[in-house]
Amino acid sequence: MSSPAPPKSPELSDKSKKYDRQIRLWGDHGQALLEAATICVVNVTAVGCETAKGLVLPGIGGFTVADGSTVKEEDLGNNFFLDNSFLGKSKAFACKQLLQELNPDVIGDYVDESVDYILANRPNFFDSFDLVIASNLNEQSLLQLANRLWESNVPLVYCRSLGMLGSIRLQIKEHCIVETHPDNRQFDLRLEQPFQALRDHLESTEVTSKVPWLLVLYKYLKAWQKEHGAGRLAPGSYKEKTQLRDAIKADMQKDEENYEEAIKAVNTAFGAGMVPSNLKAIFDDDACEQLHKKNDVFWIMAKALKHFVVEENKGYLPLPGVLPDMTANTDSYIALQQIYHQQALHDADQVYHKCQEYLKQLSLPADSIDDRTVRLLCREAAGLSVIRGTRIADEYEKNCRLLPLVEDNELQGTLTAYNFALRAYERFLSECGSIPGECSVEQDIVRLKSITSKMLNDLGLHVTISDDVLHEICRYGGAELHAVSAFIGGCAAQEVIKIITKQYKPIDNTFIYNAISTESVTLQL
């Protein structure tokens, strides 16, 4: 007789299994933000649907599709979220139905109205969404939508997919990121100037082959400091680091892994804990200096963090309390880990109490900031980042940001040229009411060239775009290729997740892709 199946543990619930891989990237708190978010997808295109797919699968809270057109024969060739059964029916409804099948946990909705109709009749419609995704609009519709969302402080991700070309433009007023997940994170160990509890532990523990390498390195660092004197805390030059490594190596017996690890750590163990340039810029920001009720609570925490660093911690950041892996016996490693953890809690508690003071001064509820959020901010303090974006409409005015992107000659074959060509394509849609290349390629090339020339002159750019690039735009006849749309949609979904979870740095602010040469570039427009 077989024994009964063991009960399912909470860690292995269906939901945890379903989202396990992504939770490893952005954590339970990131997943919770994703599941609480609602987005609007404007215009049912292949790239728009692919972007939405990349958000429905990981469990976005809800989505609404807005499109006033019906499904036509030509829509079926490049969009997997439309099929024959929906011919002649609402595009928004068809897209919503097929997207929702991907994940029953996600709430889907649709609106049978064009973006122009919504903006003209109920412009507040977009205000309730956490983010709006739009794609392949004409210039007039794009600018009206972008300006409305900028006023409402709703982030916009605008995607283009045309033939072998694609682009993504992020429009976001201010984006504060606590968890930037830097590629080369340095562990903050404070060996040069240990806090009291760490100093007591380091000096009272005998250095053997079983203790963590951190104790080994501290022993030799103290000898180095004594030898060099004059307030020198740690080796800076390659020569000095080599001397310290040689001193450790000279005393090392056979098979002492902690000594080997200490030698390797000489390059990375020192120098953390000071205020980096990115954080100094945040501390000096007007939003940090002058707190306002309407500001993001991030700024209240940033000001409390600044007070702690400057007034209470001798210029050092709060201790993150995170240790790297080390070869050691369990008891000695856990003892060391506990010392760092307790000091990190103490530092975060100081910052939290200052946050509460500021909340009281601003007459904001005490629960606007909780201790868990402050602990996270203190742990990630060295990597804090703030992105302040620009309006899409700014690109259509004379703008100094554009000048470094071009040279006083023909913009031939560069990704910057394709960016201007895509914009000219959208102006063509607005001014001519048709798609360039759909009927008469040769005639439309002449019209597109005239529109492009005027657009560049209006921007104060004395350049031309090659005929080959404009021929390419007209040759596509407005068609989307699914492979290109899938790639751009996947990239755009990734950027949306960064914005919603407030983790990782999103692009700032334009991404352009040429599938012919498989080249891409990020521009700040």
Side-chain angles (χ1 to χ4, degrees):
M1 183 178 175
S2 61
S3 59
K8 191 179 287 186
S9 68
E11 293 79 24
L12 295 175
S13 67
D14 290 341
K15 192 169 186 178
S16 293
K17 280 190 208 169
K18 182 175 183 177
Y19 298 130
D20 175 66
R21 284 163 125 194
Q22 65 205 47
I23 288 172
R24 292 169 191 259
L25 286 177
W26 52 73
D28 289 318
H29 56 296
Q31 185 64 27
L33 288 171
L34 191 65
E35 290 177 15
T38 56
I39 58 164
C40 182
V41 180
V42 173
N43 223 13
V44 175
T45 59
V47 70
C49 290
E50 287 294 331
T51 306
K53 179 188 82 173
L55 297 167
V56 170
L57 287 170
I60 191 85
F63 68 92
T64 298
V65 183
D67 193 311
S69 60
T70 56
V71 179
K72 299 181 180 63
E73 194 79 45
E74 57 263 32
D75 297 321
L76 304 180
N78 62 12
N79 194 333
F80 290 163
F81 294 94
L82 301 171
D83 61 35
N84 283 312
S85 64
F86 290 108
L87 275 172
K89 296 179 183 175
S90 157
K91 252 189 196 179
F93 172 72
C95 176
K96 174 258 174 186
Q97 286 289 96
L98 293 173
L99 277 171
Q100 202 165 7
E101 285 179 11
L102 296 173
N103 193 342
D105 294 340
V106 175
I107 299 166
D109 198 3
Y110 72 99
V111 176
D112 277 325
E113 293 166 358
S114 69
V115 63
D116 296 330
Y117 181 88
I118 294 170
L119 288 169
N121 294 278
R122 45 192 187 120
N124 294 338
F125 170 79
F126 296 108
D127 295 357
S128 61
F129 294 103
D130 294 289
L131 184 140
V132 173
I133 299 159
S135 58
N136 295 2
L137 297 173
N138 64 54
E139 182 182 282
Q140 187 179 357
S141 301
L142 169 61
L143 293 179
Q144 285 178 352
L145 175 64
N147 287 338
R148 174 62 198 161
L149 294 175
W150 183 264
E151 288 167 18
S152 307
N153 200 19
V154 176
L156 168 65
V157 175
Y158 180 62
C159 306
R160 298 180 177 102
S161 178
L162 178 65
M164 299 290 277
L165 305 174
S167 72
I168 302 167
R169 170 63 155 93
L170 266 59
Q171 177 185 273
I172 187 166
K173 264 189 183 178
E174 181 182 275
H175 185 53
C176 305
I177 314 159
V178 173
E179 294 177 89
T180 52
H181 299 274
D183 291 334
N184 300 305
R185 186 193 297 271
Q186 185 180 9
F187 288 98
D188 185 358
L189 304 172
R190 304 288 163 93
L191 280 178
E192 307 97 302
Q193 285 192 308
F195 48 93
Q196 193 58 50
L198 178 61
R199 186 187 300 277
D200 293 344
H201 178 76
L202 293 173
E203 295 188 352
S204 64
T205 305
E206 184 186 355
V207 175
T208 69
S209 62
K210 302 296 183 185
V211 298
W213 62 256
L214 201 142
L215 281 89
V216 177
L217 187 53
Y218 178 72
K219 172 185 170 182
Y220 290 90
L221 176 64
K222 266 187 72 180
W224 186 91
Q225 288 173 340
K226 190 174 180 181
E227 182 186 336
H228 287 75
R232 295 295 305 280
L233 296 176
S237 66
Y238 175 78
K239 184 180 178 182
E240 290 173 340
K241 288 179 181 178
T242 301
Q243 287 171 353
L244 182 56
R245 277 194 291 264
D246 290 344
I248 301 170
K249 198 179 290 183
D251 290 348
M252 191 175 83
Q253 304 297 319
K254 206 164 57 171
D255 299 330
E256 288 184 320
E257 288 185 63
N258 56 347
Y259 274 74
E260 289 177 6
E261 289 175 355
I263 291 167
K264 287 177 186 174
V266 167
N267 276 340
T268 57
F270 311 121
M274 303 307 292
V275 177
S277 57
N278 58 297
L279 187 56
K280 188 178 186 308
I282 290 172
F283 285 168
D284 294 341
D285 197 286
D286 287 344
C288 187
E289 295 288 346
Q290 304 292 329
L291 295 180
H292 297 288
K293 270 187 174 184
K294 292 182 180 178
N295 281 8
D296 193 302
V297 293
F298 172 89
W299 291 108
I300 297 173
M301 294 191 291
K303 189 173 176 72
L305 177 65
K306 179 180 180 180
H307 178 273
F308 173 80
V309 170
V310 175
E311 304 295 336
E312 299 177 24
N313 212 37
K314 299 176 182 175
Y316 280 93
L317 298 175
L319 191 74
V322 180
L323 286 181
D325 290 336
M326 303 179 192
T327 302
N329 63 42
T330 305
D331 290 343
S332 61
Y333 183 75
I334 289 175
L336 191 62
Q337 201 173 42
Q338 277 295 103
I339 290 165
Y340 275 89
H341 180 64
Q342 289 304 318
Q343 185 64 34
L345 289 177
H346 172 269
D347 290 357
D349 195 48
Q350 301 290 100
V351 177
Y352 174 70
H353 282 101
K354 200 65 190 175
C355 287
Q356 292 303 311
E357 275 184 42
Y358 291 143
L359 288 173
K360 196 172 180 181
Q361 289 170 17
L362 294 166
S363 302
L364 290 169
D367 60 0
S368 300
I369 298 172
D370 59 35
D371 56 351
R372 184 178 174 181
T373 306
V374 174
R375 284 200 299 270
L376 179 63
L377 178 114
C378 289
R379 192 188 79 197
E380 303 291 337
L384 299 184
S385 181
V386 174
I387 292 173
R388 288 206 173 94
T390 57
R391 296 185 316 147
I392 288 177
D394 291 344
E395 295 174 36
Y396 293 78
E397 300 165 3
K398 286 190 178 182
N399 188 329
C400 62
R401 280 186 186 239
L402 292 168
L403 298 177
L405 302 180
V406 298
E407 298 173 354
D408 292 327
N409 54 21
E410 189 176 43
L411 280 169
Q412 187 165 2
T414 68
L415 290 166
T416 309
Y418 283 122
N419 182 52
F420 286 118
L422 288 168
R423 281 171 49 179
Y425 167 84
E426 289 167 350
R427 182 167 292 189
F428 188 106
L429 295 178
S430 285
E431 291 186 3
C432 303
S434 61
I435 295 169
E438 192 174 34
C439 299
S440 169
V441 174
E442 293 306 318
Q443 190 177 343
D444 284 348
I445 285 172
V446 175
R447 292 159 79 188
L448 183 62
K449 194 169 183 179
S450 171
I451 286 169
T452 305
S453 178
K454 185 177 184 307
M455 181 186 77
L456 291 170
N457 283 333
D458 290 346
L459 291 168
L461 299 173
H462 305 294
V463 293
T464 57
I465 293 177
S466 74
D467 289 352
D468 288 346
V469 172
L470 299 180
H471 270 271
E472 191 77 13
I473 294 291
C474 285
R475 190 170 67 84
Y476 296 141
E480 281 187 84
L481 298 179
H482 180 263
V484 176
S485 293
F487 176 74
I488 293 294
C491 293
Q494 179 176 283
E495 299 309 308
V496 172
I497 289 169
K498 289 177 189 176
I499 293 168
I500 289 171
T501 61
K502 298 182 178 177
Q503 296 186 41
Y504 301 92
K505 287 184 185 177
I507 57 170
D508 184 21
N509 49 28
T510 302
F511 172 78
I512 306 164
Y513 175 65
N514 178 1
I516 300 170
S517 59
T518 63
E519 290 177 301
S520 65
V521 68
T522 302
L523 305 173
Q524 197 174 45
L525 301 180

